[in-house]
Amino acid sequence: MTPTAQTLTRAVAPAPPRNRRKLLGLLFLVPGILVAGLAIIGPWLTGADPQLIVAPPYTEAGPGLPLGTDATGRDVWVRVLTGGRPLIVIPVLATIATAVLGTALGAAAGYLGGWFDAVVSRFDALFLAFPPILAMLILLNGWGYSPVTLIAAVVVTGVPFVSRVARAATAQIVHSGFVDAAAALGDGSAAILVREVLPNIARPILADAGTRLAIAITLTASAGFLGFGPDAPNWGAMISENMEGITLTPWGVVAPALGLAVLAVSTNLAIDRLAGKIGT
């Protein structure tokens, strides 16, 4: 083939459908955005009392009751709208705390090494042996239910994972030229970690944060499912309360379960997309 023909072939070759992939990726996020938006503003959208009994138990969906009633005759739609906010606020705060503490420990261990690295590694190995649900049950039974207790459960079980990710990422760049140059200029360890190390390990940390957030959502819902927490609506508690009547009217279980699934998956995808645009 002549050079001219090669040039023409390259010119007419179809470009990779990057715009199509981006559009599909955004479409996958739309359900999560809608569910998260409803979870946040839901309590303001309805003026009805979620504890009010409005019809016989397990009334089927119909006019005025778009999702029917639950096991005690309360409006499922109203309870769905008012029961999602804790599954946004608590997991987000817990994930931020987990990411900050785990990154600080892991990056410092990877950079400093020595005895500090050994202590952090032992800490990680110890708490990695605790299943998250078991740690949550121990804390909830010992301290009682509160948002702080749930956040503590997520942090205790999540920090070792984030620490290991941060430590491994830091170990790969700790002897890089830009780190050595900063040390040669007299920058302290804290300054090097903040200015040089942290921006270069942001991508794996952020990618892992998606998993931490999904786990935090699951743990928060599990607490409600297991009966911990106030009487206020909670998607996890709704699933537990309405399991016996799922064959009569499924929405008391299906609606909160779908909300949880979409929320966990979409937030993970969103953070993964953000991680792909950050770091090296």
Side-chain angles (χ1 to χ4, degrees):
M1 182 180 294
T2 64
T4 302
Q6 292 177 351
T7 303
L8 290 175
T9 301
R10 287 195 297 268
V12 300
R18 296 183 60 184
N19 292 335
R20 184 182 301 174
R21 290 198 298 268
K22 289 182 180 180
L23 179 60
L24 288 175
L26 291 175
L27 288 177
F28 280 126
L29 298 180
V30 169
I33 294 172
L34 293 176
V35 170
L38 282 176
I40 294 172
I41 69 174
W44 297 322
L45 292 178
T46 174
D49 182 0
Q51 304 289 56
L52 183 65
I53 297 176
V54 297
Y58 299 126
T59 299
E60 294 184 357
L65 293 171
L67 298 181
T69 62
D70 66 1
T72 57
R74 298 169 296 189
D75 191 331
V76 171
W77 174 241
V78 172
R79 291 180 66 79
V80 168
L81 285 179
T82 55
R85 186 182 291 176
L87 298 172
I88 298 288
V89 177
I90 293 175
V92 167
L93 292 177
T95 301
I96 292 173
T98 301
V100 170
L101 183 56
T103 301
L105 286 174
Y111 178 74
L112 298 175
W115 66 268
F116 187 78
D117 185 19
V119 170
V120 171
S121 296
R122 298 297 182 273
F123 165 85
D124 292 345
L126 175 63
F127 284 94
L128 281 171
F130 274 85
I133 190 70
L134 177 59
M136 182 192 72
L137 290 174
I138 292 173
L139 291 176
L140 288 177
N141 281 292
W143 294 352
Y145 176 90
S146 74
V148 174
T149 307
L150 281 177
I151 291 173
V154 175
V155 171
V156 166
T157 57
V159 162
F161 290 95
V162 180
S163 175
R164 286 200 166 189
V165 172
R167 180 181 178 276
T170 302
Q172 293 180 353
I173 65 170
V174 69
H175 296 300
S176 299
F178 59 89
V179 174
D180 293 336
L185 290 173
D187 291 347
S189 297
I192 292 174
L193 285 170
V194 172
R195 297 174 187 172
E196 308 296 339
V197 173
L198 186 58
N200 287 281
I201 65 172
R203 177 179 290 183
I205 296 300
L206 193 56
D208 182 74
T211 302
R212 299 303 119 212
L213 181 56
I215 292 174
I217 292 172
T218 302
L219 284 178
T220 305
S222 297
F225 182 85
L226 294 172
F228 293 97
D231 293 333
N234 178 286
W235 288 354
M238 289 179 64
I239 296 172
S240 176
E241 293 166 353
N242 298 302
M243 284 296 294
E244 291 184 357
I246 192 171
T247 57
L248 300 175
T249 174
W251 290 112
V253 174
V254 173
L258 280 176
L260 284 169
V262 170
L263 195 61
V265 172
S266 295
T267 51
N268 204 343
L269 289 175
I271 294 179
D272 281 347
R273 285 178 62 85
L274 181 60
K277 301 178 181 297
I278 295 179
T280 56

